[in-house]
């Protein structure tokens, strides 16, 4: 019997989702595909999540590499770094690289991630204005922190806070400017956000809320932020951290169905069956993701599909955020700020712990935990499974160990 030649599989993007996918595929279908991974960045896959820890000097840059992955070793894996893909011809099945080379494929996976959004304001393109997405940004921020002068970070979400705290740790004078009335307003209620603000201020960051930046002034480079109320802040370096946008231009230009992301089904197939998308560039059931956990889940589902598991499906979990924000654990899930819900709150200012649970009809519908998140997954499951907490409602805020009368008690389950 003549063995079938391996299918040529082209992966565009060499980020976190791509690395995980290649690793899973190598384990699940060894030798079945001839994989070429093409990445725009000059080096191979690295752990983008750890860029914040690298900025803060908590880990060495060597610890960023994702080289534990199986894709490095097998003979039928090839990585081309520093090679942005410029266009796709899906009819002829080849990709054109920026340097003009063409790569033929039988099947293609888009894992192009996202790009940091630049503010549409005057001065946003001046030298001295950076974003926080990749190793080049990390290098620029480190250099800025070494120079004397003031750094401003625009944006009070996760990335803005991490950038501000990391720069402050490196010795920079940092002001964090946010247009909303609280930090991380999409994940935190007002009280929890005020706890986080205090924690960030303790790290030496000057936090200014309700401040809208309308321009970045400067002749040759950024010199000042200009605010909507006419105020100004003299700066030497600016980091813009106001969100990300999925990289979908290649897919759109190639004629694939694109909404916010590349539209894929639960098996991660795009509008042509030999095209797939995973990670932050993919849109499943109307949702794009901005966190690594769903990106890894996409990668695993696609690898299982391509290994022959025809029933492997990606099922979106209810939105939940479980992060360390510059060292402070933060968890947020469900309708934590619903106006018509009952709320149970607990706070210990000296420990920097704040908890808020929201309930409707004796069912937990939302939770926000700041400073102490050991019980986060238990709360998440109670929300997801819409469990009646009537039997242990009074102790709910203290976590599962105090709720051992309830049907959702890990103590009882373990017994
Ligand atoms: C500083 C920072 C901290 C973060 N912290 C957390 C956290 O605590 N928790 C969490 O869950 N998530 C965090 N994230 C988000 C997380 O890193 C992303 O969700 C994850 O990296 C998404 O993986 P991806 O493969 O989809 O995209 P990426 O990792 O961005 O990879 C996409 C790759 O594709 C390349 N590419 C794009 N276009 C092309 C092209 N045309 N040709 C070739 N290559 C191309 C890009 O250069 C990039 O290398 C953080 C992100 C940053 C920047």
């Amino acid at each position: 019997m003549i063995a079938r030649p391996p299918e040529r599989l082209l992966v565009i993007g060499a980020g976190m989702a791509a690395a995980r996918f290649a690793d899973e595929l190598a384990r699940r279908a060894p030798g079945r595909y001839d994989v070429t991974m093409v990445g725009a960045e000059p080096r191979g896959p690295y752990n983008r999540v750890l860029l914040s820890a690298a900025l803060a000097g908590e880990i060495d840059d060597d610890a960023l590499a994702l080289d534990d992955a199986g894709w490095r070793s097998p003979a039928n894996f090839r990585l081309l770094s520093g090679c942005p893909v410029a266009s796709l011809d899906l009819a002829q099945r080849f990709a054109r690289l920026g340097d003009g080379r063409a790569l033929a494929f039988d099947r293609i996976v888009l894992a192009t991630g996202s790009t940091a959004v630049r503010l549409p304001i005057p001065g946003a393109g001046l030298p001295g204005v950076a974003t926080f997405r990749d190793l080049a940004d990390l290098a620029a921020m480190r250099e800025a922190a070494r120079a004397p002068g003031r750094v401003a970070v625009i944006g009070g979400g996760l990335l803005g806070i991490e950038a501000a705290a990391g720069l402050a740790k490196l010795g920079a004078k940092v002001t964090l400017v946010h247009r909303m009335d609280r930090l991380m307003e999409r994940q935190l209620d007002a009280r929890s956000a005020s706890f986080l603000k205090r924690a960030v201020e303790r790290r030496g960051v000057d936090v200014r809320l309700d401040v809208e930046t309308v321009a970045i002034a400067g002749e040759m480079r950024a010199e000042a932020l200009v605010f909507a109320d006419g105020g100004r802040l003299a700066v030497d370096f600016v980091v813009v951290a106001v969100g990300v946008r999925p990289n979908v231009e290649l897919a759109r230009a190639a004629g694939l169905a694109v909404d916010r992301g590349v539209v894929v089904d639960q098996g991660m197939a795009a509008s042509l069956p030999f095209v797939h998308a995973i990670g932050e560039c993919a849109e499943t059931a109307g949702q794009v993701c901005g966190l690594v956990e769903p990106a890894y889940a996409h990668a695993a589902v696609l690898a299982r599909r391509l290994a022959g598991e025809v029933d492997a499906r990606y099922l979106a979990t209810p939105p939940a955020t479980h992060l360390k924000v510059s060292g402070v654990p933060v968890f947020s899930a469900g309708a934590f700020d619903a106006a018509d819900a009952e709320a149970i709150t607990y706070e210990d200012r000296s420990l920097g712990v704040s908890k808020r649970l929201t309930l409707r009809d004796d069912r937990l519908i939302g939770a926000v935990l700041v400073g102490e998140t050991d019980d986060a997954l238990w709360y998440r499951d109670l929300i997801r499974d819409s469990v009646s907490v009537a039997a242990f409602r009074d102790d709910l805020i203290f976590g599962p160990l105090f709720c051992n009368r309830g049907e959702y008690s890990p103590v009882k389950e373990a017994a």
Side-chain angles (χ1 to χ4, degrees):
M1 199 171 89
I2 303 168
R4 254 193 338 187
E7 230 182 287
R8 291 166 304 173
L9 178 61
L10 181 64
V11 181
I12 303 190
M16 297 188 75
R20 175 58 66 96
F21 165 71
D23 186 28
E24 293 264 355
L25 191 69
R27 283 195 301 112
R28 292 172 189 277
R32 180 149 162 197
Y33 295 89
D34 186 20
V35 179
T36 302
M37 187 189 288
V38 192
E41 293 188 65
R43 66 173 271 185
Y46 59 89
N47 190 333
R48 207 173 294 285
V49 170
L50 292 181
L51 285 177
S52 314
L55 175 68
E58 289 159 8
I59 57 164
D60 291 336
D61 288 5
D62 292 348
L64 293 172
L66 286 175
D67 57 3
D68 53 335
W71 56 268
R72 265 192 196 279
S73 40
N76 48 354
F77 274 79
R78 191 156 61 114
L79 172 67
L80 302 179
S81 298
C83 293
V85 173
S87 63
L88 297 177
D89 184 330
L90 295 178
Q92 303 298 322
R93 299 201 192 187
F94 71 85
R96 180 76 63 192
L97 302 187
D99 61 13
R101 275 181 292 166
L103 292 177
F105 58 83
D106 302 307
R107 188 177 286 281
I108 186 166
V109 178
L110 301 170
T112 49
S114 305
T115 301
V117 170
R118 287 206 165 247
L119 281 173
I121 57 173
L126 281 170
V129 181
T131 53
F132 190 16
R133 182 72 194 177
D134 57 26
L135 284 168
D137 297 330
L138 176 68
M141 288 163 77
R142 282 176 170 158
E143 196 182 319
R146 271 197 294 273
R150 177 160 288 282
V151 177
V153 177
I154 303 176
L158 164 72
L159 282 195
I161 296 170
E162 301 243 294
L167 285 160
K169 197 160 176 196
L170 292 182
K173 268 194 247 147
V174 185
T175 302
L176 175 62
V177 178
H178 191 41
R179 66 201 282 255
M180 308 305 284
D181 63 354
R182 61 184 127 141
L183 296 175
M184 293 185 72
E185 72 282 352
R186 276 189 285 161
Q187 287 91 9
L188 301 181
D189 64 289
R191 184 182 289 267
S192 319
S194 74
F195 266 71
L196 182 63
K197 177 170 177 276
R198 272 195 293 278
V200 175
E201 286 168 339
R202 273 199 298 275
R203 284 160 175 76
V205 177
D206 168 30
V207 180
R208 302 197 192 174
L209 301 173
D210 278 321
V211 178
E212 179 153 11
T213 308
V214 293
I216 300 173
E219 289 292 317
M220 306 299 285
R221 54 179 294 120
E223 290 169 12
L225 298 190
V226 182
F227 302 129
D229 64 3
R232 286 170 82 92
L233 175 73
V235 294
D236 299 278
F237 189 75
V238 182
V239 180
V240 177
V242 295
V244 295
R245 185 179 300 124
N247 289 323
V248 295
E249 295 73 18
L250 269 183
R252 185 175 280 128
L256 292 165
V258 169
D259 191 4
R260 284 163 67 210
V262 181
V263 177
V264 292
D265 63 15
Q266 289 184 324
M268 312 316 292
S271 49
L272 289 171
F274 61 91
V275 182
H276 308 270
I278 55 173
E280 287 190 358
C281 72
E283 177 177 323
T284 54
Q287 302 272 323
V288 288
C289 69
L291 295 171
V292 76
E293 205 181 295
Y296 277 175
H298 294 170
V301 167
L302 181 57
R304 286 168 57 199
R305 277 277 172 138
L306 298 192
E309 269 189 61
V310 291
D311 292 333
R313 274 186 181 28
Y314 174 73
L315 297 174
T317 44
T321 309
H322 196 183
L323 303 163
K324 272 208 166 171
V325 185
S326 69
V328 182
V330 171
F331 171 77
S332 153
F336 60 84
D337 224 5
D340 61 335
E342 284 174 72
I344 303 175
T345 58
Y346 165 89
E347 65 179 55
D348 185 330
R349 281 174 179 256
S350 58
L351 290 179
V353 173
S354 155
K355 300 184 182 188
R356 175 186 168 89
L357 304 178
T358 45
L359 296 98
R360 196 180 284 137
D361 301 331
D362 279 332
R363 283 164 214 281
L364 188 65
I365 60 166
V368 179
L369 315 174
V370 173
E372 205 275 300
T373 58
D374 290 355
D375 301 329
L377 297 183
W378 187 66
Y379 290 128
R380 184 202 63 187
D381 291 352
L382 290 175
I383 296 169
R384 184 193 60 204
D385 300 342
S386 191
V387 174
S388 170
V389 297
F392 49 96
R393 187 188 180 290
D394 292 351
D395 292 326
L396 191 61
I397 196 85
F398 302 111
L401 290 178
F402 287 83
C403 297
N404 57 7
R405 293 160 295 166
E407 57 191 354
Y408 253 65
S409 161
V411 174
K412 187 174 161 192
E413 276 164 19

